[in-house]
Amino acid sequence: ALAAAPLVPRLAIAQDAAWPARPVTILVPFVAGGPSDITARSIAIRMQQVVGQPVVAENRPGANGEVAARAVVRAAPDGHTLIVGSIGVFAINAALRPNLGYDPIRELAPVTLAVTTPNVLVVNPERVPVRTPDELVAWLRANRGRTSYSTSGVGSSDHLTMELFKRETGTDPEHVPYGGGAAAATDLIAGNVQLSFQNLGTVAGHIAGGRLRAVAVTGAERSRLLPEVPTMVESGLRGFVVTSWQAVMAPAGVTGPLLARVNAAVVEALRHPETRARLEGIGLDVVANSPEEYRRFQEAEIARWRGVVQSAGIRAE
């Protein structure tokens, strides 16, 4: 038995060297067409050229990402099953749901932070006569108890961003959750609510068409798509930098050498000029960093949103 002991690491190294030995599946925790799906399919197209095996994006929606995440947790840590998920799947769920069926830190291995996109604070231009964050805050205070905001759902990035805004500005618009960003934007355009934080990609067309007015973006810098719109930080809210993001993860237990190989393949796919152009065209900024950099970012995000959830008394539905 003692003589056989060194074979285990050698076997693991041999398996790593053979990766990928068969097609790679990237699970997507949501239906087709959203940011996670677009990111996963963009990676898959280029990654299969990099690794020489088919790479297939597979939609596995359900329970705010929990169905897909649990499937990856149960998968072999051999690099053949990955997941592309959102800030909700990898950070907010952990902050919001004490009985979550997976641990995004202990049970999933970080591959890379794939893309980020700022949220945009938008108002109905016919109902809200403001153009700057300062004017909006003054208007909300003057109309206390008579304002509401739409979101894509309880615990979503746009919901928690608004709760952070309310905490920082002492305002109190009422929350009206919808079944997605498109529905939240539609009701805002209809005038049934007055304001919303939405992913840039969701509302860019409505802003361009004059149906919504952008008041501020939540990125660290101004958006290429909305260069005239100030950031929250420029508007005086120090530290108010919020992005919605998509990341790639693998089952925990994947070895260091194999994780490095998977990271290199995913990063190469993301940084390909055609991939970058496709993602940036819909408002997604490519990051493609190291597993260590992404893990530090993920842990900080979980801590931040746990604080917002607790201070706002948010409960998962």
Side-chain angles (χ1 to χ4, degrees), residues 29-30 62-67 88-89 93 97 102 154 317:
F30 307 106
N64 290 331
E66 187 167 336
V67 171
V89 179
N93 280 357
R97 297 166 61 193
Y102 65 96
V154 173
E317 290 190 337

Side-chain angles (χ1 to χ4, degrees), residues 70-84:
R70 290 176 73 165
V72 175
V73 165
R74 292 193 299 267
D78 59 9
H80 292 92
T81 306
L82 306 173
I83 179 171
V84 169

Side-chain angles (χ1 to χ4, degrees), residues 1 44 108 170 268:
L108 292 169
E268 187 173 340

Side-chain angles (χ1 to χ4, degrees), residues 15-215:
Q15 287 173 335
D16 293 354
W19 180 84
R22 59 182 190 278
V24 175
T25 300
I26 303 177
L27 292 186
V28 179
F30 307 106
V31 297
S36 294
D37 183 66
I38 292 168
T39 302
R41 292 179 192 283
S42 299
I43 290 170
I45 289 166
R46 289 293 158 194
M47 187 173 163
Q48 61 190 8
Q49 296 174 346
V50 173
V51 301
Q53 284 278 4
V55 180
V56 181
E58 180 184 313
N59 299 90
R60 194 82 64 87
N64 290 331
E66 187 167 336
V67 171
R70 290 176 73 165
V72 175
V73 165
R74 292 193 299 267
D78 59 9
H80 292 92
T81 306
L82 306 173
I83 179 171
V84 169
S86 64
I87 178 177
V89 179
F90 298 144
I92 291 174
N93 280 357
L96 188 66
R97 297 166 61 193
N99 300 315
L100 190 62
Y102 65 96
D103 187 317
I105 297 293
R106 289 207 310 259
E107 295 184 302
L108 292 169
V111 176
T112 189
L113 178 61
V115 296
T116 64
T117 185
N119 287 326
V120 188
L121 178 53
V122 286
V123 298
N124 180 309
E126 295 177 7
R127 303 294 177 95
V128 185
V130 307
R131 293 187 175 276
T132 68
D134 284 346
E135 290 175 359
L136 178 60
V137 169
W139 183 84
L140 287 168
R141 288 174 178 165
N143 290 277
R144 220 174 256 288
R146 299 195 298 273
T147 59
S148 58
Y149 70 95
S150 61
T151 73
S152 57
V154 173
S156 60
S157 155
D158 42 307
H159 177 201
L160 296 191
T161 303
M162 185 63 82
E163 289 300 329
L164 185 62
F165 177 79
K166 287 165 61 175
R167 189 174 78 179
E168 297 287 319
T169 60
T171 53
D172 70 344
E174 184 182 353
H175 181 210
V176 183
Y178 290 83
T186 298
D187 234 31
L188 176 59
I189 292 165
N192 296 323
V193 295
Q194 291 84 40
L195 66 157
S196 186
F197 276 102
Q198 285 298 320
N199 288 176
L200 176 56
T202 302
V203 293
H206 297 310
I207 294 167
R211 294 178 292 278
L212 294 175
R213 178 181 293 142
V215 175

